[in-house]
Amino acid sequence: MNGRVAIVGGGHNGLVAAALLARSGREVVLLEARPELGGLASTRELIPGHRVDAGSHDLGMFRRSVMEELELGEHGLELIEAPAVAAVPATAGSGAVVLWPEVGRTVERLGQVSRRDAAAWPGFVFELAERAAVLEPLLSRPLELGDMGRLLIAPELMRALSSPLDESLRERFETPSLLAGLCGVALPATGLGPRANGTGWPLLFHCALGGSDRLAPVVRAQGGAGALASALAASAAASGAEIRTGVAVSRILVDSGRVAGVQLADGERIEAGAVISTATPSVTFLELLGASLLEPGFVRRLLNVKYRGAAARLALSLDGLPAFRGLERPALTGRIVLAEQPDDIERAADAAKYRRLPDRPWIEAALPTALDPSLAPAGRHLLLATVHHLPFDLEGGWDAGGPELLARVADELERWAPGIGGLVREHALLLPTDFEADYGATAGGLHHGEMNPSQSLWLRPTTSAWAGEPLPASGLWLGGAGCHPGGGLTGLPGMIAAVSLLRR
Amino acid sequence: MTVELTEVAGTGSGTPSRGSGRFDAIVVGAGHNGLVAAAYLARAGLDVVVLESSPEIGGATRSEEAFPGFRFSVFSYLVSLLRPEVIHELDLVRHGLFLVPTASTLNPLPGGDCLFREADPQRTYRHVARHSRRDAEALFEYKLEMRRMGHLMYRLQRAAPDELAAAIGDRVAESAERLDVEVSAEVADIARYFLDLPAAQLRSFVQMLTMSSADFLGQWFESDVLKAALSSSSIIGSMLSPRTPGSAYVLLHHYMGEIDGIYREWGFQKGGTGAVAATIARAAQSHGAEIRTQSPVARVLARDGRAAGVVLANGDEVRAGVVMSSAAPQISLGRLLDPEDVPGGAGAGLVERAARWQSGGCAGKVNLAISGLPRFECMPEPGPHLSGGITIAPGLDYVDRAYDDAKYGGFSERPFIDMIIPSVLDPDMAPPGKHVLSCFVQYAPYELAAGPWDDARREAFGDAVVRVLAEYAPGIEDQILHRQVLVPPDIEAIAGIPGGNIFHGELRLSQLFLLRPDPAAAAFRTPLPGYYLCGSSTQFGGGISGGPARLAALRALDDLRTAATAAGGAAEMP
């Protein structure tokens, strides 16, 4: 049997798998269709002279042990932890809310807005950490059926993950913008409004993987998220992995039920005894493997995977820092949540149900140059506005919808940071259709499958099985966000795939 | 046995003690669950009294003559979930249970079209095939799957949840250790059944607890009309839309019933659902239970770390070693219980958690007295469709928009309506030639953003319902003789359910199984020995089922037997 492992996709998960396998002495070839590595965590010059992160740019959930194991520091990765976790600018009804990693600092700041909320904060952080600690082991290794017992005996955890987030938060807090800020940390790319059951789950997910001592910290890579991909690639290459960009895999080759390798778009065949696919389940099985090899039940399951929660990314080159009401410079370094209250997010999700654009788009903003000025030319700042909860199948289509969305986003930004329009020099916009076309993100969903409880844990494909059944070809492994534990810049699916393959 | 049990309970001589204020067991609340619990306890020989605050029994199943000659089931309207073992063991048929199946469901659609599903699968196939041939084929497979899942839940319902969790957790040593519960043979059997399920079925089951009914139904069907029609069962009584995660479970909850062994059959009780309560009351009385109305309970009395009776609102004490409450947790755990009385300091937590229980109502009831049968545009002439359910849910977007209105604190401008015409099934419900039309309507939130539910807002809600009805049954507005509009605060006031949720609490994963209604009281026992919960807000509760009350009563009887054995052992010692 051929001992080579072919890895489909050079996103961060594919690179983690490649580096870990190569380090263990396996022969590895990684194939990425795009010219640059990193996938949804890549950095591109979408605006000339600017380093723009196309998708994820927060390394707060990335596995630290993997960074150490792969010596990413030696391979050029420099981390910058943002002083702020999240901030909501001041609104007509409330002062600005800023959440810091340090509990005391947050309490002090919250005290300016609500004495009650300030008093409730430490208990909230402690409780989250406690629950996250129960969950964490389930997310960082192959999941077993017996693990269900862990949740069964933890009723409060079960309740927290299955409840509407808005409702759980209201049990403790009263300030609408604080509630909105926490929803803003949890709900990006989920497509769900905070009144939906199960929205407690993404917050716990963030906390479980963000480190138990702090609440979902924001961590960036010097030079943009693409620097993570570069460091991973350098580590993999140093261990002997072969990394090829600009080569699209068109087929996973199967011979009598066993993986035999992959075929590239130009017809080249690469033999391999194992293939790790980091593509979405739909792409992996329906496009690369081919429906003819699949049982009808398996195909039906594939067609029923939900990819809702599409997003658009607007990058703006600005003449200076925008004036978000009530936020000082350090507060601009984390997530900037533009929602006055949880229902603003709910209403954006409502519009998507009916395949419409929201009247007021829900924007998660970031100013990466506030931490790392090297990302833009001197004197310029970069604002990344991620517009969440968009319908992929927009009524009327995205050709007409794109310009309309841009106009609405501009209005919304102006509302939150008056005068920002006058600072804009250049812009670039990635629509949900671009995420699908450029990055293979089925239906524009950034998580390769909705991250709600009905598609998580035992209900998400694992690296080697789905719904208790082995994958349809032996030697085929999943290693992308579409499998357990799911999306986000964690490196875990890739790590679990590599570890499982090495154990086999 | 009577004497033994009574002595162990330490509440008296075992002779009937009418008016003496001493019983073996007290049941708080005379809704259908309270009455079922009383019947089981009395049947086992206990001296039982049911204390009901309002002048009438029945709780949310109550029926009344709202207008001269016109009888209505005030809130509830159909029966299916009533547990067959309850019917059988309490001999309810002998006491007057008389269920007439509602054999069809009509979904009128805009433009005079409709979807009509009948008992005859061939005819239903033809109706559905008009909308989608593929869906007509898939309907058979879907029903099979729902029957499988319903059966699974049905089996689960026979077990107490803590025991079940222990049995399942057995595979994980640590959970078994932490729970430290003994598992009965029956429960172990069910747990084995659960764990031995094919992976696909177990997955389906877990999925149903977490996904939306629109997604769940989307796995089978393509036609929006059929999906909307089937999704009706997923929102009944719940502040959920078919697209809200978790609504698939509510769908399943409505697929666990049967009538006379016919799975998923729904039926109408002759005389209205109030007659179901009356039937159970007669069964309870036949075993000697006493039912006192207008006897509001103020609090549970405790002595030596055990329940010892209750104190009525008028200050009277009623003593008993077993106290069982059928009320929602805000009352049972939050109001009736003095946290100081609960051993081990568990009281404060109970009260705190009861306060966060979600039981805000979402449904209203519009009861209409009409001068003649409605003429639906799609089927204007009288026919079998009028003796079944008729549902206005013409599409998923329609229902979702109705939900969105309520989400932000309004009532639905264009509501979802689930109606029956009881007088077609039971002519005694209305004067000859005239009819009653029972409309269960969503969504009507407990609290309106605009202000309290005053008469003007009630009538505006009633008008919205009539407007929608008139779109599908033109001329109905002129047939209306009387109109009764009830909204969640009315359900709260009349049936005593805080928030007015018909299930005593939303049926969703965060309030099910070990969380229903509280992790410390999820198996009918509370941390105060001798005090039990038996209402809709307990395990598997919701709907006219009697199931939770039966399990609660059996558990209390088990405890008495265990205590009797222990006491017997002790007595033999020198």
Side-chain angles (χ1 to χ4, degrees), chain A residues 146 152-153 155-156 159 162-163 167 195 197 300 304 306 308 346-347 350 353-354 454 467, chain B residues 141 172 175 199 203 210-211 215 219 240 245 353 356 358 400-401 404 407-408 508 510 514-515:
Chain A
L152 274 173
I153 59 168
E156 284 295 332
R159 180 173 182 275
S162 58
S163 289
E167 186 185 294
R195 287 172 181 258
N197 285 323
R300 189 157 82 170
N304 286 326
K306 302 287 180 263
R308 282 171 303 221
E346 185 73 28
R347 286 185 195 272
D350 284 349
K353 285 194 298 198
Y354 309 116
S454 73
Chain B
E141 201 191 331
V172 189
S175 61
R203 180 176 183 278
T210 49
M211 83 193 305
D215 284 353
Q219 298 185 344
L240 296 171
R353 291 191 297 269
R356 67 185 196 190
Q358 295 294 320
D400 231 318
R401 289 208 162 85
D404 286 346
K407 201 159 66 168
Y408 303 113
R508 55 184 210 201
S510 56
L514 285 171
L515 292 160

Tab-separated table of all heavy atoms in Angstrom, chain A residues 146 152-153 155-156 159 162-163 167 195 197 300 304 306 308 346-347 350 353-354 454 467, chain B residues 141 172 175 199 203 210-211 215 219 240 245 353 356 358 400-401 404 407-408 508 510 514-515:
chain	number	residue	atom	x	y	z
A	146	GLY	N	-19.978	7.221	24.362
A	146	GLY	CA	-19.976	7.251	25.825
A	146	GLY	C	-19.865	8.662	26.387
A	146	GLY	O	-20.254	8.912	27.520
A	152	LEU	N	-25.127	14.258	29.898
A	152	LEU	CA	-26.329	13.835	30.620
A	152	LEU	C	-26.252	14.161	32.103
A	152	LEU	O	-27.258	14.462	32.732
A	152	LEU	CB	-26.530	12.326	30.462
A	152	LEU	CG	-27.283	11.880	29.216
A	152	LEU	CD1	-27.242	10.367	29.113
A	152	LEU	CD2	-28.724	12.357	29.270
A	153	ILE	N	-25.056	14.083	32.647
A	153	ILE	CA	-24.942	14.321	34.088
A	153	ILE	C	-24.670	15.786	34.389
A	153	ILE	O	-24.426	16.160	35.521
A	153	ILE	CB	-23.847	13.455	34.733
A	153	ILE	CG1	-22.497	13.765	34.081
A	153	ILE	CG2	-24.200	11.989	34.660
A	153	ILE	CD1	-21.339	13.190	34.836
A	155	PRO	N	-26.767	18.780	33.894
A	155	PRO	CA	-27.997	19.428	33.429
A	155	PRO	C	-27.821	20.923	33.153
A	155	PRO	O	-28.383	21.436	32.181
A	155	PRO	CB	-28.997	19.207	34.557
A	155	PRO	CG	-28.368	18.295	35.525
A	155	PRO	CD	-26.948	18.098	35.168
A	156	GLU	N	-27.027	21.607	33.984
A	156	GLU	CA	-26.882	23.045	33.775
A	156	GLU	C	-26.122	23.339	32.483
A	156	GLU	O	-26.393	24.326	31.805
A	156	GLU	CB	-26.180	23.703	34.968
A	156	GLU	CG	-27.083	23.861	36.190
A	156	GLU	CD	-28.260	24.830	35.962
A	156	GLU	OE1	-28.149	25.754	35.149
A	156	GLU	OE2	-29.308	24.627	36.610
A	159	ARG	N	-28.573	22.752	29.718
A	159	ARG	CA	-29.514	23.857	29.642
A	159	ARG	C	-28.857	25.052	28.967
A	159	ARG	O	-29.448	25.681	28.096
A	159	ARG	CB	-29.972	24.222	31.062
A	159	ARG	CG	-30.936	25.351	31.109
A	159	ARG	CD	-31.489	25.552	32.503
A	159	ARG	NE	-32.452	26.641	32.464
A	159	ARG	CZ	-32.131	27.919	32.571
A	159	ARG	NH1	-30.871	28.255	32.728
A	159	ARG	NH2	-33.059	28.850	32.507
A	162	SER	N	-28.499	24.541	25.188
A	162	SER	CA	-29.706	24.384	24.382
A	162	SER	C	-30.659	25.577	24.485
A	162	SER	O	-31.618	25.667	23.737
A	162	SER	CB	-30.444	23.097	24.779
A	162	SER	OG	-30.777	23.129	26.145
A	163	SER	N	-30.378	26.505	25.386
A	163	SER	CA	-31.282	27.646	25.564
A	163	SER	C	-31.025	28.730	24.528
A	163	SER	O	-29.956	28.794	23.951
A	163	SER	CB	-31.064	28.275	26.944
A	163	SER	OG	-31.548	27.448	27.941
A	167	GLU	N	-32.080	34.752	26.182
A	167	GLU	CA	-32.800	34.440	27.415
A	167	GLU	C	-31.835	34.143	28.567
A	167	GLU	O	-32.006	34.657	29.672
A	167	GLU	CB	-33.688	33.235	27.127
A	167	GLU	CG	-34.607	32.827	28.215
A	167	GLU	CD	-35.310	31.543	27.814
A	167	GLU	OE1	-36.086	31.569	26.850
A	167	GLU	OE2	-35.039	30.508	28.452
A	195	ARG	N	-32.648	34.677	19.820
A	195	ARG	CA	-33.851	34.106	20.430
A	195	ARG	C	-34.036	32.642	20.054
A	195	ARG	O	-34.972	31.991	20.512
A	195	ARG	CB	-35.087	34.888	19.987
A	195	ARG	CG	-35.214	36.260	20.634
A	195	ARG	CD	-36.335	37.008	19.975
A	195	ARG	NE	-36.520	38.335	20.499
A	195	ARG	CZ	-37.483	38.671	21.373
A	195	ARG	NH1	-38.322	37.760	21.809
A	195	ARG	NH2	-37.591	39.909	21.793
A	197	ASN	N	-33.440	28.687	20.005
A	197	ASN	CA	-32.927	27.645	20.884
A	197	ASN	C	-31.541	27.226	20.399
A	197	ASN	O	-31.293	27.185	19.195
A	197	ASN	CB	-33.836	26.413	20.838
A	197	ASN	CG	-35.114	26.617	21.604
A	197	ASN	OD1	-35.124	27.249	22.654
A	197	ASN	ND2	-36.211	26.094	21.078
A	300	ARG	N	-28.640	11.393	0.788
A	300	ARG	CA	-29.720	12.174	1.364
A	300	ARG	C	-29.212	12.972	2.572
A	300	ARG	O	-29.529	14.139	2.742
A	300	ARG	CB	-30.871	11.248	1.783
A	300	ARG	CG	-32.095	12.038	2.176
A	300	ARG	CD	-33.346	11.221	2.063
A	300	ARG	NE	-33.501	10.384	3.249
A	300	ARG	CZ	-34.597	9.711	3.514
A	300	ARG	NH1	-35.635	9.773	2.692
A	300	ARG	NH2	-34.693	8.974	4.584
A	304	ASN	N	-28.924	17.105	3.083
A	304	ASN	CA	-29.610	17.746	4.198
A	304	ASN	C	-28.681	18.526	5.131
A	304	ASN	O	-29.138	19.099	6.115
A	304	ASN	CB	-30.379	16.704	5.013
A	304	ASN	CG	-31.630	16.255	4.282
A	304	ASN	OD1	-32.252	17.055	3.590
A	304	ASN	ND2	-31.969	14.990	4.395
A	306	LYS	N	-27.001	21.597	6.462
A	306	LYS	CA	-27.378	23.003	6.319
A	306	LYS	C	-26.133	23.878	6.372
A	306	LYS	O	-25.310	23.740	7.268
A	306	LYS	CB	-28.333	23.409	7.446
A	306	LYS	CG	-29.599	22.565	7.484
A	306	LYS	CD	-30.516	22.937	6.332
A	306	LYS	CE	-31.782	22.113	6.325
A	306	LYS	NZ	-31.682	20.966	5.405
A	308	ARG	N	-26.411	27.331	6.197
A	308	ARG	CA	-26.861	28.714	6.351
A	308	ARG	C	-25.882	29.544	7.172
A	308	ARG	O	-25.051	29.018	7.887
A	308	ARG	CB	-28.230	28.743	7.027
A	308	ARG	CG	-29.354	28.415	6.082
A	308	ARG	CD	-30.636	28.236	6.839
A	308	ARG	NE	-30.474	27.193	7.837
A	308	ARG	CZ	-31.396	26.277	8.107
A	308	ARG	NH1	-32.536	26.286	7.474
A	308	ARG	NH2	-31.176	25.364	9.022
A	346	GLU	N	-31.338	39.476	15.773
A	346	GLU	CA	-32.515	38.652	15.480
A	346	GLU	C	-33.181	39.110	14.180
A	346	GLU	O	-33.563	38.306	13.332
A	346	GLU	CB	-33.499	38.742	16.650
A	346	GLU	CG	-34.721	37.855	16.543
A	346	GLU	CD	-34.436	36.381	16.776
A	346	GLU	OE1	-33.484	36.069	17.519
A	346	GLU	OE2	-35.151	35.545	16.202
A	347	ARG	N	-33.311	40.427	14.023
A	347	ARG	CA	-33.998	40.945	12.831
A	347	ARG	C	-33.200	40.691	11.558
A	347	ARG	O	-33.772	40.473	10.493
A	347	ARG	CB	-34.283	42.436	12.997
A	347	ARG	CG	-35.429	42.700	13.977
A	347	ARG	CD	-35.795	44.172	14.040
A	347	ARG	NE	-36.609	44.469	15.203
A	347	ARG	CZ	-37.952	44.378	15.230
A	347	ARG	NH1	-38.597	44.011	14.149
A	347	ARG	NH2	-38.618	44.646	16.340
A	350	ASP	N	-34.036	37.264	10.717
A	350	ASP	CA	-35.399	37.204	10.164
A	350	ASP	C	-35.372	37.443	8.655
A	350	ASP	O	-36.015	36.734	7.887
A	350	ASP	CB	-36.290	38.295	10.784
A	350	ASP	CG	-36.732	37.958	12.196
A	350	ASP	OD1	-36.535	36.804	12.608
A	350	ASP	OD2	-37.268	38.850	12.870
A	353	LYS	N	-34.399	34.541	6.589
A	353	LYS	CA	-35.428	33.492	6.474
A	353	LYS	C	-36.253	33.684	5.212
A	353	LYS	O	-36.676	32.741	4.576
A	353	LYS	CB	-36.414	33.566	7.660
A	353	LYS	CG	-35.910	33.057	8.953
A	353	LYS	CD	-37.048	32.857	9.967
A	353	LYS	CE	-37.798	34.110	10.338
A	353	LYS	NZ	-38.583	33.991	11.582
A	354	TYR	N	-36.520	34.962	4.925
A	354	TYR	CA	-37.362	35.269	3.760
A	354	TYR	C	-36.509	35.617	2.535
A	354	TYR	O	-36.994	36.211	1.590
A	354	TYR	CB	-38.324	36.419	4.096
A	354	TYR	CG	-39.103	36.188	5.373
A	354	TYR	CD1	-38.953	37.020	6.473
A	354	TYR	CD2	-39.975	35.090	5.484
A	354	TYR	CE1	-39.650	36.789	7.648
A	354	TYR	CE2	-40.670	34.856	6.660
A	354	TYR	CZ	-40.501	35.714	7.737
A	354	TYR	OH	-41.192	35.481	8.905
A	454	SER	N	-27.913	20.984	16.275
A	454	SER	CA	-28.379	19.870	15.438
A	454	SER	C	-27.333	19.448	14.417
A	454	SER	O	-27.521	18.466	13.704
A	454	SER	CB	-29.706	20.212	14.754
A	454	SER	OG	-29.497	21.142	13.726
A	467	ALA	N	-22.586	9.594	11.451
A	467	ALA	CA	-23.764	8.935	12.016
A	467	ALA	C	-23.456	7.480	12.335
A	467	ALA	O	-24.263	6.589	12.115
A	467	ALA	CB	-24.936	9.031	11.046
B	141	GLU	N	-43.183	6.924	4.006
B	141	GLU	CA	-41.909	6.690	4.668
B	141	GLU	C	-41.787	7.589	5.907
B	141	GLU	O	-41.303	7.180	6.957
B	141	GLU	CB	-40.783	7.006	3.683
B	141	GLU	CG	-39.460	6.358	4.021
B	141	GLU	CD	-38.342	6.939	3.164
B	141	GLU	OE1	-38.614	7.370	2.020
B	141	GLU	OE2	-37.209	6.989	3.654
B	172	VAL	N	-20.677	5.045	31.047
B	172	VAL	CA	-19.607	5.941	31.489
B	172	VAL	C	-19.554	5.810	33.008
B	172	VAL	O	-20.432	6.281	33.697
B	172	VAL	CB	-19.938	7.397	31.121
B	172	VAL	CG1	-18.755	8.293	31.381
B	172	VAL	CG2	-20.382	7.478	29.687
B	175	SER	N	-20.388	8.813	35.340
B	175	SER	CA	-21.728	9.352	35.498
B	175	SER	C	-22.557	8.469	36.425
B	175	SER	O	-23.328	8.962	37.234
B	175	SER	CB	-22.416	9.529	34.151
B	175	SER	OG	-22.530	8.303	33.496
B	199	ALA	N	-27.512	3.244	14.926
B	199	ALA	CA	-26.941	4.594	15.028
B	199	ALA	C	-27.829	5.620	14.336
B	199	ALA	O	-28.011	6.731	14.832
B	199	ALA	CB	-25.544	4.611	14.429
B	203	ARG	N	-29.394	8.847	16.128
B	203	ARG	CA	-29.030	10.141	15.572
B	203	ARG	C	-30.297	10.949	15.249
B	203	ARG	O	-30.406	12.119	15.594
B	203	ARG	CB	-28.207	9.894	14.316
B	203	ARG	CG	-27.739	11.123	13.614
B	203	ARG	CD	-26.844	10.722	12.446
B	203	ARG	NE	-26.325	11.907	11.792
B	203	ARG	CZ	-26.992	12.611	10.894
B	203	ARG	NH1	-28.200	12.240	10.534
B	203	ARG	NH2	-26.452	13.678	10.347
B	210	THR	N	-33.058	18.857	18.638
B	210	THR	CA	-32.295	20.084	18.433
B	210	THR	C	-32.635	20.837	17.152
B	210	THR	O	-32.315	22.009	17.035
B	210	THR	CB	-30.783	19.756	18.389
B	210	THR	OG1	-30.574	18.659	17.497
B	210	THR	CG2	-30.268	19.384	19.758
B	211	MET	N	-33.248	20.198	16.195
B	211	MET	CA	-33.405	20.887	14.917
B	211	MET	C	-34.795	21.495	14.764
B	211	MET	O	-35.687	21.288	15.577
B	211	MET	CB	-33.049	19.962	13.751
B	211	MET	CG	-34.138	19.032	13.306
B	211	MET	SD	-33.519	17.734	12.194
B	211	MET	CE	-32.732	18.694	10.903
B	215	ASP	N	-36.590	22.146	8.910
B	215	ASP	CA	-35.440	21.368	8.424
B	215	ASP	C	-35.755	19.876	8.462
B	215	ASP	O	-35.411	19.131	7.552
B	215	ASP	CB	-34.199	21.629	9.289
B	215	ASP	CG	-33.567	22.973	8.979
B	215	ASP	OD1	-34.003	23.624	8.012
B	215	ASP	OD2	-32.643	23.375	9.711
B	219	GLN	N	-36.275	17.166	5.077
B	219	GLN	CA	-35.555	15.943	4.733
B	219	GLN	C	-36.431	14.978	3.932
B	219	GLN	O	-35.931	14.065	3.296
B	219	GLN	CB	-35.072	15.240	6.002
B	219	GLN	CG	-34.109	16.105	6.790
B	219	GLN	CD	-33.522	15.401	7.999
B	219	GLN	OE1	-34.024	14.380	8.439
B	219	GLN	NE2	-32.454	15.938	8.524
B	240	LEU	N	-42.477	29.127	19.170
B	240	LEU	CA	-41.503	28.653	18.194
B	240	LEU	C	-42.131	28.796	16.824
B	240	LEU	O	-43.339	28.702	16.689
B	240	LEU	CB	-41.222	27.161	18.389
B	240	LEU	CG	-40.574	26.657	19.659
B	240	LEU	CD1	-40.623	25.138	19.669
B	240	LEU	CD2	-39.153	27.142	19.740
B	245	PRO	N	-34.939	26.311	15.771
B	245	PRO	CA	-34.380	25.040	16.254
B	245	PRO	C	-35.152	24.547	17.480
B	245	PRO	O	-35.524	25.339	18.338
B	245	PRO	CB	-32.939	25.414	16.625
B	245	PRO	CG	-32.618	26.634	15.829
B	245	PRO	CD	-33.921	27.365	15.664
B	353	ARG	N	-34.240	28.685	40.586
B	353	ARG	CA	-34.405	28.079	39.268
B	353	ARG	C	-35.861	28.118	38.812
B	353	ARG	O	-36.141	28.229	37.624
B	353	ARG	CB	-33.854	26.648	39.282
B	353	ARG	CG	-32.334	26.596	39.429
B	353	ARG	CD	-31.798	25.195	39.179
B	353	ARG	NE	-32.279	24.230	40.145
B	353	ARG	CZ	-31.655	23.922	41.284
B	353	ARG	NH1	-30.507	24.503	41.587
B	353	ARG	NH2	-32.152	23.029	42.108
B	356	ARG	N	-36.739	31.149	36.770
B	356	ARG	CA	-36.278	31.291	35.383
B	356	ARG	C	-37.033	30.337	34.438
B	356	ARG	O	-36.734	30.261	33.259
B	356	ARG	CB	-34.765	31.055	35.306
B	356	ARG	CG	-34.403	29.638	35.609
B	356	ARG	CD	-32.915	29.356	35.666
B	356	ARG	NE	-32.743	27.918	35.589
B	356	ARG	CZ	-31.617	27.269	35.784
B	356	ARG	NH1	-30.528	27.940	36.068
B	356	ARG	NH2	-31.564	25.973	35.680
B	358	GLN	N	-39.521	28.948	31.874
B	358	GLN	CA	-40.160	29.666	30.775
B	358	GLN	C	-41.544	29.088	30.497
B	358	GLN	O	-41.674	27.989	29.973
B	358	GLN	CB	-39.298	29.560	29.508
B	358	GLN	CG	-37.949	30.254	29.635
B	358	GLN	CD	-38.075	31.752	29.783
B	358	GLN	OE1	-38.897	32.372	29.128
B	358	GLN	NE2	-37.253	32.338	30.656
B	400	ASP	N	-44.180	31.713	9.816
B	400	ASP	CA	-43.018	32.402	10.374
B	400	ASP	C	-43.296	33.884	10.579
B	400	ASP	O	-42.844	34.486	11.547
B	400	ASP	CB	-41.816	32.217	9.445
B	400	ASP	CG	-40.607	31.724	10.216
B	400	ASP	OD1	-40.384	32.237	11.322
B	400	ASP	OD2	-39.904	30.837	9.717
B	401	ARG	N	-44.054	34.467	9.657
B	401	ARG	CA	-44.377	35.888	9.818
B	401	ARG	C	-45.290	36.090	11.025
B	401	ARG	O	-45.152	37.063	11.773
B	401	ARG	CB	-45.038	36.435	8.550
B	401	ARG	CG	-44.052	36.558	7.412
B	401	ARG	CD	-44.441	37.664	6.413
B	401	ARG	NE	-43.276	38.024	5.621
B	401	ARG	CZ	-42.893	37.381	4.525
B	401	ARG	NH1	-43.611	36.351	4.084
B	401	ARG	NH2	-41.817	37.745	3.868
B	404	ASP	N	-42.994	35.998	13.902
B	404	ASP	CA	-42.173	37.217	14.033
B	404	ASP	C	-42.965	38.340	14.708
B	404	ASP	O	-42.425	39.075	15.542
B	404	ASP	CB	-41.664	37.682	12.668
B	404	ASP	CG	-40.543	36.785	12.141
B	404	ASP	OD1	-40.001	35.985	12.934
B	404	ASP	OD2	-40.211	36.885	10.945
B	407	LYS	N	-42.864	37.581	18.359
B	407	LYS	CA	-41.506	37.624	18.901
B	407	LYS	C	-41.192	39.018	19.431
B	407	LYS	O	-40.537	39.178	20.449
B	407	LYS	CB	-40.550	37.264	17.762
B	407	LYS	CG	-39.226	36.790	18.171
B	407	LYS	CD	-38.538	35.995	17.070
B	407	LYS	CE	-38.185	36.790	15.852
B	407	LYS	NZ	-37.286	36.060	14.940
B	408	TYR	N	-41.666	40.021	18.702
B	408	TYR	CA	-41.377	41.387	19.113
B	408	TYR	C	-42.540	42.003	19.896
B	408	TYR	O	-42.665	43.214	19.988
B	408	TYR	CB	-41.010	42.232	17.889
B	408	TYR	CG	-39.840	41.645	17.135
B	408	TYR	CD1	-39.992	41.130	15.849
B	408	TYR	CD2	-38.593	41.555	17.745
B	408	TYR	CE1	-38.918	40.568	15.177
B	408	TYR	CE2	-37.516	40.989	17.079
B	408	TYR	CZ	-37.680	40.497	15.792
B	408	TYR	OH	-36.618	39.928	15.138
B	508	ARG	N	-38.956	22.269	25.242
B	508	ARG	CA	-37.729	22.381	24.459
B	508	ARG	C	-36.595	21.807	25.276
B	508	ARG	O	-36.676	21.732	26.500
B	508	ARG	CB	-37.480	23.838	24.082
B	508	ARG	CG	-37.466	24.720	25.296
B	508	ARG	CD	-37.307	26.172	24.936
B	508	ARG	NE	-36.618	26.819	26.032
B	508	ARG	CZ	-36.655	28.118	26.267
B	508	ARG	NH1	-37.315	28.906	25.462
B	508	ARG	NH2	-36.009	28.617	27.270
B	510	SER	N	-34.013	22.624	26.653
B	510	SER	CA	-33.560	23.247	27.893
B	510	SER	C	-34.582	23.094	29.019
B	510	SER	O	-34.334	23.500	30.146
B	510	SER	CB	-33.243	24.727	27.659
B	510	SER	OG	-34.370	25.381	27.122
B	514	LEU	N	-33.997	15.721	32.236
B	514	LEU	CA	-33.531	16.033	33.592
B	514	LEU	C	-33.730	17.486	33.975
B	514	LEU	O	-33.522	17.868	35.119
B	514	LEU	CB	-32.056	15.659	33.732
B	514	LEU	CG	-31.790	14.158	33.844
B	514	LEU	CD1	-30.303	13.869	33.768
B	514	LEU	CD2	-32.354	13.602	35.146
B	515	LEU	N	-34.130	18.308	33.029
B	515	LEU	CA	-34.324	19.724	33.331
B	515	LEU	C	-35.794	20.071	33.534
B	515	LEU	O	-36.144	21.225	33.740
B	515	LEU	CB	-33.746	20.577	32.199
B	515	LEU	CG	-32.226	20.539	32.069
B	515	LEU	CD1	-31.785	20.972	30.689
B	515	LEU	CD2	-31.592	21.416	33.129
